[in-house]
Amino acid sequence: MTHPLVFLRGDLPLGLRVDLLGFCFALAVGTECGDCVPDENGLIYVGTEARPVCGPGAALLGSLMVQRLGRRPGDRAFTILGPPQQTAPGLEPAA
């Protein structure tokens, strides 16, 4: 049986890590996330550039979870990236 895991880069600012944690938890519990498809190892790579939430789904649920943790960042969404070896050079690093 698979279990969700979330890995966050330690070199990110604390506020960004909290935002990403809420977003990643939303993905881990299986919320609809549009076109995000795990790679062959079941991994989803999330970028570190925040943008406003434009609709329901993992981004909105992640934002609400972060607000419940005590941080009020406003709505946040993060880009879903391809695996690192398939990502073109110059794109943002995954969290």
Side-chain angles (χ1 to χ4, degrees):
M1 179 177 236
T2 59
H3 298 282
L5 292 173
V6 175
F7 297 96
L8 290 175
R9 288 180 28 204
D11 63 337
L12 298 173
L14 180 61
L16 178 58
R17 279 186 286 166
V18 171
D19 291 348
L20 280 167
L21 186 61
F23 183 78
C24 291
F25 279 162
L27 289 176
V29 297
T31 304
E32 287 265 339
C33 61
D35 60 349
C36 85
V37 177
D39 69 3
E40 66 274 359
N41 298 313
L43 299 176
I44 298 173
Y45 298 88
V46 180
T48 58
E49 292 294 320
R51 61 183 194 268
V53 172
C54 297
L60 183 58
L61 179 58
S63 175
L64 295 173
M65 291 173 76
V66 168
Q67 289 180 10
R68 294 292 288 165
L69 292 171
R71 183 169 149 71
R72 303 251 177 226
D75 290 345
R76 295 277 189 249
F78 294 90
T79 307
I80 303 296
L81 304 175
Q85 66 273 17
Q86 297 174 1
T87 304
L91 291 179
E92 63 175 314

Coordinates of all heavy atoms in Angstrom, one line a residue:
M1 N 0.8 -1.2 0.0 CA 0.0 0.0 0.0 C 0.9 1.2 0.0 O 1.8 1.3 0.8 CB -0.9 0.0 1.2 CG -1.8 1.2 1.4 SD -2.9 1.0 2.8 CE -4.4 1.1 2.0
T2 N 0.6 2.2 -0.9 CA 1.4 3.4 -0.9 C 1.0 4.4 0.1 O -0.2 4.4 0.5 CB 1.3 4.1 -2.3 OG1 -0.1 4.4 -2.6 CG2 1.8 3.1 -3.4
H3 N 1.9 5.2 0.6 CA 1.7 6.3 1.5 C 2.3 7.5 1.0 O 3.4 7.5 0.5 CB 2.3 5.9 2.9 CG 1.8 4.7 3.5 ND1 0.6 4.7 4.1 CD2 2.2 3.4 3.6 CE1 0.3 3.4 4.6 NE2 1.3 2.7 4.2
P4 N 1.6 8.7 1.1 CA 2.1 9.9 0.6 C 3.3 10.4 1.5 O 3.3 10.3 2.7 CB 1.0 10.9 0.6 CG 0.0 10.3 1.6 CD 0.2 8.8 1.6
L5 N 4.3 11.0 0.8 CA 5.4 11.6 1.5 C 5.6 13.0 0.8 O 5.4 13.1 -0.4 CB 6.7 10.8 1.3 CG 6.8 9.5 1.9 CD1 8.1 8.7 1.5 CD2 6.9 9.6 3.4
V6 N 6.1 13.9 1.6 CA 6.4 15.3 1.1 C 7.8 15.6 1.5 O 8.2 15.5 2.6 CB 5.4 16.3 1.7 CG1 5.8 17.7 1.2 CG2 4.0 16.0 1.3
F7 N 8.6 16.0 0.5 CA 10.0 16.4 0.7 C 10.1 17.9 0.3 O 9.6 18.3 -0.8 CB 11.0 15.6 -0.2 CG 11.0 14.2 0.2 CD1 10.3 13.3 -0.6 CD2 11.8 13.7 1.2 CE1 10.3 11.9 -0.3 CE2 11.9 12.4 1.5 CZ 11.1 11.5 0.8
L8 N 10.6 18.7 1.2 CA 10.8 20.1 0.9 C 12.2 20.5 1.0 O 12.9 20.0 1.9 CB 10.0 21.0 1.9 CG 8.5 21.0 1.8 CD1 7.8 21.8 3.0 CD2 8.0 21.5 0.5
R9 N 12.7 21.3 0.1 CA 14.1 21.8 0.2 C 14.3 22.7 1.4 O 13.5 23.5 1.7 CB 14.4 22.6 -1.1 CG 14.5 21.8 -2.3 CD 14.8 22.6 -3.6 NE 15.5 23.8 -3.3 CZ 15.5 24.9 -4.1 NH1 14.8 24.9 -5.2 NH2 16.2 26.0 -3.8
G10 N 15.4 22.4 2.1 CA 15.7 23.1 3.4 C 16.2 24.5 3.1 O 16.2 25.3 4.1
D11 N 16.6 24.9 1.9 CA 17.2 26.2 1.7 C 16.2 27.2 1.3 O 16.5 28.4 1.1 CB 18.3 26.1 0.6 CG 17.7 25.7 -0.8 OD1 16.7 25.0 -0.8 OD2 18.4 26.0 -1.8
L12 N 14.9 26.9 1.3 CA 13.8 27.8 1.0 C 13.5 28.6 2.2 O 13.6 28.1 3.4 CB 12.6 27.1 0.5 CG 12.8 26.3 -0.8 CD1 11.5 25.5 -1.1 CD2 13.1 27.2 -2.0
P13 N 13.0 29.9 2.1 CA 12.5 30.7 3.2 C 11.4 29.9 3.9 O 10.6 29.2 3.3 CB 12.0 32.0 2.6 CG 12.7 32.0 1.3 CD 12.9 30.6 0.8
L14 N 11.3 30.1 5.2 CA 10.3 29.4 6.1 C 8.9 29.7 5.6 O 8.1 28.7 5.5 CB 10.4 29.8 7.5 CG 9.5 29.2 8.5 CD1 9.7 27.7 8.5 CD2 9.6 29.8 9.9
G15 N 8.5 30.9 5.3 CA 7.2 31.2 4.8 C 6.8 30.4 3.5 O 5.7 29.9 3.4
L16 N 7.8 30.3 2.6 CA 7.5 29.6 1.4 C 7.4 28.1 1.7 O 6.6 27.4 1.1 CB 8.7 29.9 0.4 CG 8.6 29.1 -1.0 CD1 7.3 29.5 -1.7 CD2 9.8 29.5 -1.8
R17 N 8.2 27.6 2.6 CA 8.1 26.2 2.9 C 6.8 25.9 3.5 O 6.2 24.8 3.2 CB 9.2 25.8 3.9 CG 10.5 25.5 3.2 CD 11.6 25.0 4.1 NE 12.0 26.1 5.0 CZ 12.7 25.9 6.1 NH1 13.1 24.7 6.5 NH2 13.1 27.0 6.8
V18 N 6.2 26.7 4.3 CA 4.9 26.5 4.9 C 3.8 26.5 3.8 O 2.9 25.7 3.8 CB 4.6 27.6 6.0 CG1 3.1 27.5 6.5 CG2 5.5 27.4 7.2
D19 N 3.9 27.5 2.9 CA 3.0 27.5 1.8 C 3.0 26.2 1.0 O 2.0 25.6 0.6 CB 3.2 28.7 0.9 CG 2.9 30.0 1.5 OD1 2.3 30.0 2.6 OD2 3.3 31.1 1.0
L20 N 4.3 25.8 0.6 CA 4.4 24.6 -0.2 C 4.0 23.4 0.6 O 3.4 22.5 0.0 CB 5.9 24.4 -0.5 CG 6.4 25.3 -1.7 CD1 7.9 25.3 -1.8 CD2 5.8 24.8 -3.0
L21 N 4.2 23.3 1.9 CA 3.7 22.2 2.7 C 2.2 22.0 2.6 O 1.7 20.9 2.4 CB 4.2 22.3 4.1 CG 3.9 21.2 5.0 CD1 4.7 19.9 4.5 CD2 4.3 21.5 6.5
G22 N 1.5 23.1 2.7 CA 0.0 23.0 2.6 C -0.4 22.6 1.2 O -1.3 21.7 1.1
F23 N 0.2 23.1 0.2 CA -0.1 22.7 -1.2 C 0.2 21.2 -1.4 O -0.6 20.5 -2.0 CB 0.7 23.6 -2.2 CG 0.4 23.3 -3.6 CD1 -0.8 23.8 -4.2 CD2 1.3 22.6 -4.4 CE1 -1.1 23.5 -5.5 CE2 1.0 22.3 -5.7 CZ -0.2 22.8 -6.3
C24 N 1.4 20.8 -0.9 CA 1.8 19.4 -1.1 C 0.9 18.4 -0.3 O 0.6 17.3 -0.8 CB 3.3 19.2 -0.8 SG 4.4 20.0 -1.9
F25 N 0.5 18.8 0.9 CA -0.5 18.0 1.6 C -1.8 17.8 0.8 O -2.4 16.7 0.8 CB -0.7 18.6 3.0 CG 0.3 18.3 4.0 CD1 0.4 19.0 5.2 CD2 1.2 17.2 3.8 CE1 1.4 18.7 6.1 CE2 2.2 17.0 4.8 CZ 2.3 17.7 5.9
A26 N -2.2 18.9 0.2 CA -3.4 18.8 -0.6 C -3.3 17.8 -1.7 O -4.2 17.1 -2.0 CB -3.8 20.2 -1.1
L27 N -2.1 17.9 -2.4 CA -1.8 16.9 -3.5 C -1.8 15.5 -2.9 O -2.3 14.5 -3.5 CB -0.5 17.2 -4.2 CG -0.5 18.4 -5.0 CD1 0.9 18.6 -5.6 CD2 -1.5 18.3 -6.2
A28 N -1.2 15.3 -1.7 CA -1.0 14.0 -1.1 C -2.3 13.3 -0.7 O -2.4 12.1 -0.8 CB -0.1 14.1 0.1
V29 N -3.3 14.1 -0.3 CA -4.6 13.5 0.1 C -5.4 13.2 -1.1 O -6.6 12.8 -1.0 CB -5.3 14.4 1.1 CG1 -4.5 14.5 2.4 CG2 -5.7 15.7 0.5
G30 N -4.9 13.5 -2.3 CA -5.6 13.1 -3.5 C -6.6 14.1 -4.1 O -7.5 13.7 -4.8
T31 N -6.5 15.3 -3.8 CA -7.4 16.3 -4.3 C -7.2 16.5 -5.8 O -6.1 16.3 -6.3 CB -7.1 17.7 -3.6 OG1 -7.2 17.5 -2.3 CG2 -8.0 18.8 -4.1
E32 N -8.2 16.8 -6.6 CA -8.1 17.0 -8.0 C -7.0 18.1 -8.2 O -7.0 19.1 -7.6 CB -9.4 17.6 -8.5 CG -10.5 16.5 -8.6 CD -10.6 15.9 -10.0 OE1 -10.1 16.5 -11.0 OE2 -11.1 14.8 -10.1
C33 N -6.1 17.8 -9.2 CA -5.1 18.8 -9.5 C -4.9 19.0 -11.0 O -3.9 19.3 -11.4 CB -3.8 18.5 -8.8 SG -3.1 16.9 -9.3
G34 N -6.0 18.9 -11.7 CA -6.0 19.1 -13.1 C -5.1 18.2 -13.9 O -5.4 17.0 -13.9
D35 N -4.1 18.7 -14.6 CA -3.3 17.9 -15.4 C -2.1 17.3 -14.8 O -1.2 16.8 -15.5 CB -2.9 18.7 -16.7 CG -2.1 19.9 -16.3 OD1 -2.0 20.3 -15.1 OD2 -1.5 20.6 -17.2
C36 N -1.9 17.4 -13.4 CA -0.7 16.9 -12.8 C -0.8 15.3 -12.7 O -1.8 14.8 -12.3 CB -0.5 17.5 -11.4 SG -1.4 16.7 -10.1
V37 N 0.2 14.7 -13.3 CA 0.3 13.2 -13.3 C 1.6 12.8 -12.7 O 2.6 13.4 -13.1 CB 0.2 12.7 -14.8 CG1 0.3 11.2 -14.8 CG2 -1.1 13.2 -15.4
P38 N 1.6 11.9 -11.8 CA 2.9 11.5 -11.2 C 3.8 10.8 -12.2 O 3.3 10.3 -13.2 CB 2.5 10.5 -10.1 CG 1.0 10.8 -9.8 CD 0.5 11.3 -11.1
D39 N 5.1 10.9 -12.0 CA 6.0 10.2 -13.0 C 6.0 8.7 -12.7 O 5.1 8.2 -11.9 CB 7.4 10.8 -12.9 CG 8.1 10.5 -11.6 OD1 7.6 9.7 -10.7 OD2 9.2 10.9 -11.4
E40 N 6.8 7.9 -13.3 CA 6.8 6.4 -13.2 C 7.1 6.0 -11.8 O 6.8 4.9 -11.4 CB 7.8 5.8 -14.2 CG 9.2 6.1 -13.9 CD 9.7 7.4 -14.6 OE1 8.9 8.0 -15.2 OE2 10.9 7.7 -14.4
N41 N 7.7 6.8 -10.9 CA 7.9 6.5 -9.5 C 6.9 7.0 -8.6 O 7.0 6.9 -7.4 CB 9.3 7.1 -9.1 CG 10.4 6.5 -9.9 OD1 10.5 5.3 -10.1 ND2 11.3 7.3 -10.4
G42 N 5.8 7.6 -9.1 CA 4.7 8.2 -8.3 C 5.0 9.5 -7.7 O 4.3 10.0 -6.8
L43 N 6.0 10.2 -8.3 CA 6.4 11.5 -7.7 C 5.8 12.7 -8.5 O 5.6 12.6 -9.7 CB 8.0 11.7 -7.8 CG 8.8 10.7 -7.0 CD1 10.3 10.9 -7.3 CD2 8.5 10.8 -5.5
I44 N 5.4 13.7 -7.8 CA 5.0 15.0 -8.4 C 5.9 16.1 -8.0 O 6.2 16.2 -6.8 CB 3.5 15.3 -7.9 CG1 2.6 14.2 -8.4 CG2 3.1 16.7 -8.5 CD1 1.2 14.4 -7.8
Y45 N 6.5 16.8 -8.9 CA 7.5 17.8 -8.7 C 6.7 19.2 -8.7 O 6.0 19.5 -9.6 CB 8.6 17.8 -9.7 CG 9.3 16.5 -9.7 CD1 8.9 15.4 -10.5 CD2 10.5 16.4 -8.9 CE1 9.6 14.3 -10.5 CE2 11.2 15.2 -8.9 CZ 10.7 14.1 -9.7 OH 11.4 12.9 -9.6
V46 N 6.9 19.9 -7.6 CA 6.2 21.2 -7.4 C 7.2 22.3 -7.5 O 8.3 22.3 -6.8 CB 5.4 21.3 -6.1 CG1 4.7 22.6 -5.9 CG2 4.5 20.1 -6.0
G47 N 7.0 23.4 -8.3 CA 7.9 24.5 -8.4 C 7.8 25.4 -7.2 O 6.9 25.3 -6.4
T48 N 8.6 26.4 -7.1 CA 8.7 27.3 -5.9 C 8.1 28.7 -6.2 O 8.2 29.5 -5.4 CB 10.1 27.4 -5.4 OG1 10.9 27.9 -6.5 CG2 10.7 26.1 -5.0
E49 N 7.6 28.9 -7.4 CA 7.1 30.2 -7.7 C 5.6 30.2 -7.4 O 4.8 29.5 -8.0 CB 7.3 30.5 -9.2 CG 8.7 30.8 -9.6 CD 9.3 32.0 -9.0 OE1 8.6 33.0 -8.9 OE2 10.4 31.9 -8.5
A50 N 5.2 31.1 -6.5 CA 3.8 31.2 -6.1 C 3.0 32.1 -7.0 O 3.5 33.1 -7.5 CB 3.7 31.6 -4.6
R51 N 1.8 31.8 -7.2 CA 0.9 32.6 -8.0 C -0.5 32.6 -7.4 O -0.8 31.7 -6.6 CB 0.9 32.2 -9.5 CG 0.4 30.8 -9.7 CD 0.5 30.4 -11.2 NE -0.3 29.2 -11.4 CZ 0.2 28.0 -11.4 NH1 1.5 27.8 -11.0 NH2 -0.6 26.9 -11.6
P52 N -1.4 33.5 -7.8 CA -2.8 33.4 -7.2 C -3.5 32.2 -7.6 O -3.3 31.7 -8.7 CB -3.4 34.7 -7.7 CG -2.3 35.6 -8.2 CD -1.2 34.6 -8.6
V53 N -4.4 31.7 -6.8 CA -5.3 30.6 -7.1 C -6.4 31.1 -8.0 O -7.0 32.1 -7.8 CB -5.9 30.0 -5.8 CG1 -7.0 29.0 -6.1 CG2 -4.8 29.4 -4.9
C54 N -6.6 30.3 -9.1 CA -7.7 30.7 -10.1 C -8.9 29.9 -10.0 O -9.8 30.1 -10.8 CB -7.1 30.7 -11.5 SG -5.7 31.9 -11.7
G55 N -9.0 28.9 -9.1 CA -10.2 28.1 -9.1 C -10.0 27.0 -8.0 O -9.0 27.0 -7.3
P56 N -11.0 26.1 -7.9 CA -10.9 25.1 -6.9 C -9.9 24.0 -7.2 O -9.3 24.0 -8.3 CB -12.3 24.5 -6.9 CG -12.8 24.7 -8.3 CD -12.2 26.0 -8.7
G57 N -9.6 23.2 -6.2 CA -8.6 22.1 -6.5 C -7.5 22.1 -5.4 O -7.7 22.7 -4.3
A58 N -6.4 21.5 -5.7 CA -5.3 21.4 -4.8 C -4.8 22.8 -4.3 O -4.4 22.9 -3.1 CB -4.1 20.6 -5.4
A59 N -4.7 23.8 -5.2 CA -4.2 25.1 -4.8 C -5.0 25.7 -3.7 O -4.5 26.2 -2.7 CB -4.1 26.0 -6.0
L60 N -6.3 25.7 -3.9 CA -7.2 26.3 -3.0 C -7.2 25.5 -1.6 O -7.2 26.1 -0.6 CB -8.7 26.4 -3.5 CG -9.7 27.0 -2.7 CD1 -9.3 28.5 -2.3 CD2 -11.1 27.0 -3.3
L61 N -7.3 24.2 -1.7 CA -7.2 23.4 -0.5 C -5.9 23.6 0.3 O -5.9 23.8 1.5 CB -7.4 21.9 -0.8 CG -7.4 21.0 0.4 CD1 -8.4 21.3 1.4 CD2 -7.5 19.5 -0.1
G62 N -4.8 23.7 -0.5 CA -3.5 23.9 0.2 C -3.5 25.3 0.9 O -3.0 25.4 2.0
S63 N -4.1 26.3 0.2 CA -4.1 27.6 0.8 C -4.9 27.6 2.1 O -4.5 28.2 3.1 CB -4.7 28.6 -0.2 OG -4.9 29.9 0.4
L64 N -6.1 26.9 2.1 CA -6.9 26.8 3.3 C -6.2 26.1 4.4 O -6.3 26.4 5.6 CB -8.2 26.2 2.9 CG -9.1 27.0 2.0 CD1 -10.3 26.1 1.6 CD2 -9.6 28.3 2.6
M65 N -5.5 25.0 4.1 CA -4.7 24.3 5.1 C -3.7 25.1 5.7 O -3.5 25.1 6.9 CB -4.1 23.0 4.5 CG -5.1 22.0 4.0 SD -4.4 20.6 3.1 CE -3.6 19.7 4.4
V66 N -2.9 25.9 4.9 CA -1.9 26.8 5.5 C -2.6 27.8 6.4 O -2.0 28.1 7.5 CB -1.1 27.5 4.3 CG1 -0.3 28.6 4.9 CG2 -0.3 26.5 3.6
Q67 N -3.7 28.4 6.0 CA -4.4 29.3 6.9 C -4.8 28.7 8.2 O -4.7 29.3 9.3 CB -5.6 29.9 6.2 CG -5.2 30.9 5.0 CD -6.3 31.5 4.3 OE1 -7.5 31.3 4.7 NE2 -6.0 32.1 3.2
R68 N -5.2 27.4 8.2 CA -5.6 26.7 9.4 C -4.3 26.5 10.3 O -4.5 26.4 11.5 CB -6.2 25.4 9.1 CG -7.5 25.5 8.4 CD -8.6 26.1 9.3 NE -9.0 25.1 10.3 CZ -9.7 25.4 11.4 NH1 -10.1 26.6 11.6 NH2 -10.0 24.5 12.2
L69 N -3.1 26.4 9.7 CA -1.9 26.3 10.5 C -1.5 27.6 11.1 O -0.5 27.6 11.8 CB -0.8 25.7 9.6 CG -0.9 24.3 9.1 CD1 0.1 24.0 8.0 CD2 -0.9 23.3 10.2
G70 N -2.2 28.7 10.9 CA -1.8 29.9 11.5 C -1.2 30.9 10.6 O -1.0 32.1 11.0
R71 N -0.8 30.6 9.4 CA -0.1 31.5 8.5 C -1.2 32.0 7.5 O -2.0 31.2 7.0 CB 1.0 30.8 7.8 CG 1.8 31.7 6.8 CD 3.0 31.0 6.4 NE 3.4 31.5 5.0 CZ 3.9 32.7 4.7 NH1 4.0 33.6 5.7 NH2 4.2 33.0 3.5
R72 N -1.3 33.3 7.3 CA -2.3 33.8 6.4 C -1.7 34.4 5.1 O -1.6 35.6 5.0 CB -3.1 34.9 7.1 CG -3.8 34.4 8.4 CD -5.3 34.2 8.2 NE -5.8 33.7 9.4 CZ -6.7 32.7 9.4 NH1 -7.1 32.2 8.3 NH2 -7.2 32.2 10.5
P73 N -1.2 33.5 4.2 CA -0.5 34.1 3.1 C -1.4 34.5 1.9 O -0.9 35.1 0.9 CB 0.3 32.8 2.6 CG -0.6 31.7 2.9 CD -1.3 32.1 4.2
G74 N -2.7 34.3 2.0 CA -3.5 34.6 0.9 C -3.5 33.3 0.0 O -2.8 32.3 0.3
D75 N -4.3 33.3 -1.0 CA -4.3 32.1 -1.9 C -3.0 31.9 -2.6 O -2.4 32.9 -3.2 CB -5.5 32.3 -2.9 CG -6.8 32.2 -2.3 OD1 -6.9 31.7 -1.1 OD2 -7.8 32.5 -2.9
R76 N -2.5 30.7 -2.7 CA -1.3 30.4 -3.3 C -1.5 29.1 -4.2 O -2.1 28.2 -3.8 CB -0.2 30.0 -2.3 CG 0.2 31.2 -1.5 CD 1.2 32.1 -2.2 NE 1.8 33.0 -1.3 CZ 1.5 34.3 -1.4 NH1 0.7 34.8 -2.3 NH2 2.1 35.2 -0.5
A77 N -0.9 29.2 -5.4 CA -0.8 28.0 -6.3 C 0.6 27.9 -6.7 O 1.4 28.9 -6.8 CB -1.7 28.2 -7.5
F78 N 1.0 26.7 -7.0 CA 2.4 26.4 -7.4 C 2.4 25.6 -8.7 O 1.5 24.8 -8.9 CB 3.2 25.7 -6.3 CG 3.4 26.5 -5.1 CD1 2.4 26.5 -4.1 CD2 4.5 27.4 -4.9 CE1 2.6 27.3 -2.9 CE2 4.6 28.2 -3.8 CZ 3.7 28.1 -2.8
T79 N 3.4 25.8 -9.5 CA 3.5 25.2 -10.8 C 3.9 23.7 -10.6 O 4.7 23.4 -9.8 CB 4.6 25.8 -11.7 OG1 4.3 27.2 -11.8 CG2 4.6 25.2 -13.1
I80 N 3.2 22.8 -11.3 CA 3.6 21.4 -11.4 C 4.7 21.2 -12.5 O 4.5 21.6 -13.6 CB 2.4 20.5 -11.6 CG1 1.3 20.7 -10.6 CG2 2.9 19.0 -11.7 CD1 1.7 20.4 -9.2
L81 N 5.9 20.7 -12.1 CA 7.0 20.5 -13.0 C 7.1 19.1 -13.5 O 6.6 18.2 -12.8 CB 8.3 21.0 -12.4 CG 8.3 22.4 -11.8 CD1 9.6 22.7 -11.1 CD2 8.1 23.4 -12.9
G82 N 7.9 18.9 -14.5 CA 8.2 17.5 -15.0 C 9.4 17.1 -14.1 O 10.0 17.9 -13.4
P83 N 9.8 15.8 -14.2 CA 10.9 15.3 -13.5 C 12.2 16.1 -13.9 O 12.3 16.6 -15.0 CB 11.0 13.8 -14.0 CG 9.7 13.5 -14.4 CD 9.1 14.7 -15.0
P84 N 13.2 16.3 -13.0 CA 14.3 17.1 -13.3 C 15.1 16.8 -14.6 O 15.5 17.7 -15.3 CB 15.2 16.9 -12.0 CG 14.3 16.5 -11.0 CD 13.2 15.7 -11.7
Q85 N 15.2 15.5 -14.9 CA 16.0 15.2 -16.1 C 15.2 15.5 -17.4 O 15.8 15.7 -18.5 CB 16.4 13.7 -16.2 CG 15.2 12.7 -16.3 CD 14.7 12.3 -14.9 OE1 14.9 13.0 -13.9 NE2 13.9 11.2 -14.9
Q86 N 13.9 15.8 -17.3 CA 13.1 16.1 -18.4 C 12.8 17.6 -18.5 O 12.3 18.1 -19.5 CB 11.7 15.4 -18.4 CG 11.9 13.9 -18.5 CD 10.6 13.2 -18.3 OE1 9.5 13.8 -18.2 NE2 10.6 11.9 -18.4
T87 N 13.1 18.4 -17.4 CA 12.9 19.8 -17.4 C 14.0 20.5 -18.1 O 15.2 20.2 -18.0 CB 12.8 20.3 -15.9 OG1 11.8 19.5 -15.3 CG2 12.5 21.7 -15.8
A88 N 13.6 21.5 -18.9 CA 14.6 22.3 -19.7 C 15.5 23.1 -18.8 O 15.0 23.5 -17.7 CB 13.9 23.2 -20.7
P89 N 16.7 23.3 -19.1 CA 17.6 24.2 -18.3 C 17.0 25.6 -18.2 O 16.4 26.1 -19.1 CB 18.9 24.2 -19.1 CG 18.8 23.2 -20.1 CD 17.4 22.8 -20.3
G90 N 17.2 26.2 -17.0 CA 16.8 27.5 -16.8 C 15.4 27.7 -16.2 O 15.0 28.7 -15.8
L91 N 14.7 26.5 -16.0 CA 13.4 26.6 -15.3 C 13.6 26.6 -13.8 O 14.7 26.1 -13.4 CB 12.5 25.4 -15.8 CG 12.0 25.5 -17.2 CD1 11.2 24.2 -17.5 CD2 11.2 26.7 -17.5
E92 N 12.6 27.0 -13.1 CA 12.7 27.1 -11.7 C 13.0 25.7 -11.0 O 12.5 24.7 -11.6 CB 11.5 27.7 -11.1 CG 10.2 26.8 -11.3 CD 9.0 27.4 -10.7 OE1 9.1 27.7 -9.5 OE2 8.0 27.4 -11.3
P93 N 13.7 25.6 -9.9 CA 14.0 24.3 -9.3 C 12.8 23.9 -8.5 O 11.9 24.6 -8.1 CB 15.1 24.7 -8.3 CG 15.0 26.1 -8.0 CD 14.4 26.7 -9.3
A94 N 12.6 22.6 -8.5 CA 11.5 22.0 -7.8 C 11.7 22.0 -6.3 O 12.9 22.0 -5.8 CB 11.3 20.5 -8.2
A95 N 10.7 22.0 -5.5 CA 10.7 21.9 -4.1 C 10.6 20.5 -3.7 O 10.7 20.1 -2.6 CB 9.7 22.8 -3.4

